[in-house]
Each structure stands twice: as C-alpha cells, then as structure tokens.
C-alpha cells in the first residue's frame, strides 16, 4: 500500500509542476513586441477607381471603343486639373463573348469585350463630388 501512495504522490507532484511551453525558449537573439496604435486624421486625398468596358463585334472594335471611352475619362480628369502622375491604368482585359446555338447547342462567337481600370488620386476633395457626378452621367455628356 505504501508503494501505491508513493506512486500517487509522485504522479501528483509531477502533474502540479509548472509546465513551460514548448515554444518559449531562452534565445537572446529574439525579441518579441506587441503593440496597438491608433491614428485619426482628416482625409486629404481620395482614391477613385473607374472601370470602362466596351463590347464589339471584333477584338479591334471592342478595344477601339474601350480606348475612346478611356480617353474621354482621361480628358475629363485633365480638365478637372488632376495631375497626370495621379492617374494609373490598373489593368486591361480582352475576352471573347459566346452564345449558344439553339439547334446544335454549340458555342458561337458573338463578339468581344474589352475593359480597363483607371485609378485616380484626387487631391482636391472639394471638387470630388462634381468629378464623380460627371462620370456617373454618361448619357448626359459625361463619360
């Protein structure tokens, strides 16, 4: 019986011993820092992303229409006094458009879609609303 109690107390002592995490190592070359920061400021720029997508019967037609629409946006941006360095093209895509033939269920090429994205940094926030309104009113002389 004494042997059982000895094993019991030994097991209990080992179970109650402080366990050091496996990842906590004494390495003088490692420093760990945790922090939280918060900054509040009045916005002074706006980043505007504008997309242009045009469709045409050929790749040339679609890209031509897309280029003209993008040029109209760039002209409006220039007229608004935005520096050319604050405008960037983010991407250009061209892909075919298909439809299904109802009788054969085969795919039929119907045209192409061309798109691009422009990213504009607007520094004059007072004129931002008018600029965005001009882009949104495409049917009223906008782009």
């Amino acid at each position: 019986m004494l042997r059982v109690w000895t094993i019991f107390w030994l097991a209990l002592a080992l179970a109650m011993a402080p366990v050091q995490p496996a990842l906590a190592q004494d390495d003088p070359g490692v420093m760990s820092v945790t922090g939280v920061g918060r900054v509040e400021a009045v916005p002074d720029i706006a980043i505007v992303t504008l997309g242009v997508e045009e469709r045409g019967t050929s790749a040339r037609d679609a890209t031509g229409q897309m280029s003209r629409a993008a040029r109209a946006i760039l002209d409006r941006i220039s007229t608004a006094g935005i520096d050319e360095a604050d405008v960037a093209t983010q991407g250009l895509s061209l892909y075919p458009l298909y439809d299904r033939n109802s009788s054969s269920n085969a795919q039929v090429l119907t045209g192409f879609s061309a798109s691009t994205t422009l990213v504009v940094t607007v520094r004059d926030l007072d004129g931002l609303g008018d600029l965005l309104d001009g882009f949104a009113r495409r049917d009223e002389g906008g782009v």
Side-chain angles (χ1 to χ4, degrees), residues 26 31 34 131 139:
D26 292 327
M31 181 172 82
T34 303
L131 183 68
D139 58 332

Side-chain angles (χ1 to χ4, degrees), residues 5-75:
W5 279 109
T6 304
I7 293 173
F8 171 75
W9 288 113
L10 182 60
L12 183 62
L14 288 173
M16 306 256 325
V19 178
Q20 187 175 14
L23 296 177
Q25 298 176 2
D26 292 327
D27 187 353
V30 176
M31 181 172 82
S32 178
V33 177
T34 303
V36 176
R38 182 179 173 159
V39 176
E40 292 184 21
V42 176
D44 58 350
I45 64 168
I47 307 296
V48 179
T49 304
L50 303 166
V52 178
E53 181 180 1
E54 296 291 340
R55 294 176 180 212
T57 56
S58 67
R60 173 177 271 176
D61 183 36
T63 55
Q65 290 183 52
M66 185 268 309
S67 293
R68 285 187 290 281
R71 180 79 261 159
I73 290 174
L74 292 170
D75 290 345

